[in-house]
Amino acid sequence: MTETVLETDGLTKRFGKLTAVDDVSLSVADGEFRSVIGPNGAGKTTTFNLITGALSPSEGAVRFKGEDITNVAPHERVGRGLGRSFQITNVFGGLTVRENVRLAAQSVYSDEINPGEALFRDKNGFDEIAEQTRTVLEQIGLRDRADEHAEALAYGDQRRLELGLVLATDPALVMLDEPTAGMSSEETQATMNLIDEVLSDRSLMLIEHDIDLVMRVSDRITVLTRGEELASGTPEEIANNEDVRDAYLGGVRE
Amino acid sequence: MVAADFIEQLLNGLTLGMVYVLLAAGLSVIFGVMDVINFSHGELFALGAYFSLSIIAPFGAGTGFWIAIVVAPVAVGLIGAAIERTTVRPLYGRDPLYHILLTFGLVLVTNDVIRLIWGTQQRQLAVPEYLSQPVSILGVQVSVYNYFMIVFAALLAVVTWYLLNRTKYGMIIRAGSQDREMVRNVGIDIDQYYTLVFGVGAALAAVAGIVLGGYQNVNTGMGNSVIIPAFVVVVLGGLGSFRGAVFGGLLVGVVQTLMRAYSGSVLATFGDTTLTVPNLEGLTVYLLMIAVLLVKPQGLFGTRGEESDGEGEILVGGYGGVLADSTRVRLGGIAVVALALAPIAILFMGDQYYLVVLNEILIWAIFALSLDIVMGYAGLVPLGHTMFYGVGAYTAALIMLHYSQSVFIVLLGAILICAVLAWVVGSLSIRVSGVYFAMITLAFAELLYSAVFKFDFTGGSDGLLGFEALLGLGTVGESLSNIEFGLLGYELGQQFVFYYLALLIAVLSFLFARRMMNAPFGSVLQSIRESEERAEFIGYDVNRYKRRAFVISGGMAGLAGGLLAVSPSTVIISPDQTLNWIHSGEVIVIALFGGMGTLYGPMIGSGVFFGAEEFLSSYTDQWRLIIGTMFILFVLFVPRGIVSIPSLVAQRLETANNADGAVDMDEPDVRSDD
Ligand SMILES: Nc1ncnc2c1ncn2[C@@H]1O[C@H](COP(=O)(O)OP(=O)(O)OP(=O)(O)O)[C@@H](O)[C@H]1O
Ligand SMILES: [Mg+2]
């Protein structure tokens, strides 16, 4: 029996009258590849926001590596190994690609940097950070474009940089919100390969609209509709689930 | 008679409150709909009063007043609409910072036009005789004019409310303030309505100006004196909320008036203990504002979330590839050498006054540099930065008067006290973001400004004088003003010694800041400016970084203030010279003008600003008009500041070579992150 890395307990978020996430209790095992699917507005991103701390839940709790993190600040969660990407690309547009990745890598080491160094030592003079930056740039295939400003990159490249920012923080659980949104099918394939390859030794939560792809790559799948958890299970279980077929696969699928 | 007296004060308070309501209604709706922080609102208010002066003159007070109260607001409304069309419109969607710069320029221009046309002496606005009679109702005696003001302003407020809430135009405007895009999507040209809103807001301000002008008097400082209370009202009530403006206006008017009347008086006596009203006149409204912002950042009636929309972008300056790094370093070196040699040239010219100007430039270069650390790098816009400059100056003067005259101890003291102050203010303010952060720092600055008038140890409104710095440690050392030595037969004095001290400190401050920005700490600040959310989600405690940046910046601004006090040409440290909100505006303008986010840009900005002021004021009295116009042109055409000019020029040349194709002046692609 593998350990549980993430658990949510009755997670609920209300925006005024709308209940965007309704009593969701998930459990993600260590090393698991978990996909979250559901129609637009089902509450997938909101669930991610609750787990990562971007929003605080109306009710319920989040446990990460056995500790209750419901009231822990977002940056602190990142420090404990919870990394995330955004559905809408969110990179440091005015900084170079290298600096983007370097900043994420620096955050991992910031405990080891003393105040004097933090204020006065050249940011490029830290060997471990530079090493980590190089590795990640290599992984996401942006080494040749490292000196360009992030905002000057093509859309697909920006999505990969978004992924790189998560990788560089060296997370135990990686939460990716539609990393392939808006990509061509080749780009999607390349990105999925990248995800498979570099994240194979970590736990992963993925929001994704492409059902075929999800069926292929996931260990388990959670289906959300109108904020509620409709079903969770292996790809076969989900594919054979009556409720899911009625509510989602047969119906509103785009 | 105590009760009658109280009611009289209450009426006075309501009268003043009504003026605030008229002012704040326009200000608040303009912000709510267009996200524009309009500093020039106070000058439009003054313009209303001045127009009335000219209209009343030929007709006499009897009929002239009534003509004026209709015609002047219409005229000011048209001017407001014209201002919106020509200058504000191109800036929609930019960070509110640019509106500050723009409307600050408008303040200078309008104020100078008023001086030019109507002169600088205080004038009396004639009101019909039957309005200025005192009347006594139920034993309460005030002038008829009070009742007139209250009723007339209330009527206007009701009409405005009706227009906003019960007409089609009002509905569209309110919908637009909720969601601009949605209104555009249903095919309504919301931009047309902006002009209308701006014009009506200006007209309301003009009415307020006329009404208050008749109550008190008309002077060139009247706009400046109401704009900050008006902002307090808007923030208290909730940015964009009309109801909030009405409630906040009355509240501030009444609280201000009552505190003025009753500060220090006995409330009640219980046996031996007497309960007195604390002597907090002038402080109360700011304390109120800070309290409200901390508890309910969106104001009492505000509905917007505390997060700023984040649609605007702060444009940092930079050469962006046109000049190589090495060229830039060389240019910097040349500038320092030139500055080091400048006194020799001045010596031969024989006019030491230029040295005084250079000293001022250096002090403000450090001040503007300190602002750049928080504004250009961490993306925080403090509207009260002069509090550190002022407190630094006061601290330095007090240390010299009471403890030590050593320059080094004095400056160190100023830095430390301001760093502590910045930590306190920062801890409280950084929890709110965007415009609310700007406003809460403004409130703190105004609080300190009002406070120095209250205390003996700060010298009240006279300020502090009689201090002197020694160049040395402890009590040994040479008095700065005694140092005189000769060189080649020329007399060299205190100004020279101070100049080199200031130059050294300015260069060291720059090197310190540059080092910091190239180190891990500074790099995180830049990431926060780019995307606060992203910085948080790669693991940085954003608030802690902001607070530290604020402390460093506050300490450096305190150093600039301390230098001001130490300077031999400073005889007196007064509230207006150091703590007036105008200086907070000026330093933002200087930083933007030079080019934010570059460190050297704001320092260059200081040089150009004070150089231009000095140069222009020796030729013309209308130098404010010229500088104001310059700001307006800059914010419209060179938003990244002076330092972006080389790349703008290069871009021009390139497009000229490539034949046709217009240059996108607003968004030149010249960012750099050194
Ligand atoms: N901050 C917010 N305030 C109010 N309502 C919100 C907020 N965030 C999300 N919602 C609402 O909550 C519901 C769930 O939104 P969410 O973004 O979680 O959906 P999603 O499953 O990620 O959809 P998509 O596939 O389109 O990304 C939606 O109806 C959305 O409008
Ligand atoms: Mg989503």
Side-chain angles (χ1 to χ4, degrees), chain B residues 213-227:
Chain B
Y215 189 52
Q216 294 169 349
N217 58 60
V218 181
N219 61 70
T220 51
M222 68 191 285
N224 187 5
S225 67
V226 294
I227 187 71

Side-chain angles (χ1 to χ4, degrees), chain A residues 52-54 73-76 78-79 82-86 90-96 99-100 102-108 110 113 117-124 126 149 151 162-163 165-166 169, chain B residues 307 313 316 320 511-545 548 552 640 669-674:
Chain A
T52 56
H75 63 87
E76 172 81 44
V78 179
L82 191 63
R84 79 167 292 180
S85 76
F86 290 86
N90 192 350
V91 295
F92 307 117
L95 307 180
T96 61
E99 180 64 4
N100 267 270
R102 199 199 60 76
L103 276 160
Q106 174 181 298
S107 124
V108 180
S110 54
I113 302 174
E117 285 181 328
L119 273 180
F120 297 115
R121 188 164 154 199
D122 185 354
K123 65 187 177 190
N124 294 317
F126 296 84
H149 280 168
E151 63 195 1
E162 174 84 41
L163 203 58
L165 288 186
V166 187
T169 59
Chain B
E307 265 116 89
E313 188 195 357
V316 296
L511 293 176
F512 164 80
R514 198 176 67 150
R515 190 82 231 171
M516 185 171 81
M517 291 311 167
N518 283 322
F521 176 76
S523 71
V524 176
L525 292 186
Q526 292 168 64
S527 76
I528 291 173
R529 178 189 68 205
E530 293 294 326
S531 167
E532 209 170 313
E533 191 181 38
R534 223 337 160 195
E536 180 91 30
F537 280 102
I538 53 174
Y540 292 111
D541 185 346
V542 167
N543 281 352
R544 196 162 79 183
Y545 276 89
R548 288 182 181 168
I552 292 171
R640 291 172 198 277
D669 195 21
V670 291
R671 318 193 88 192
S672 86
D673 47 72
D674 65 324

Side-chain angles (χ1 to χ4, degrees), chain A residues 15 18 20 38-47 55 87 177-178 207 209:
Chain A
F15 296 113
L18 172 82
N40 290 112
K44 305 180 294 293
T45 299
T46 308
T47 304
L55 293 170
Q87 183 172 355
D177 194 345
E178 300 192 29
I207 298 178
H209 276 293

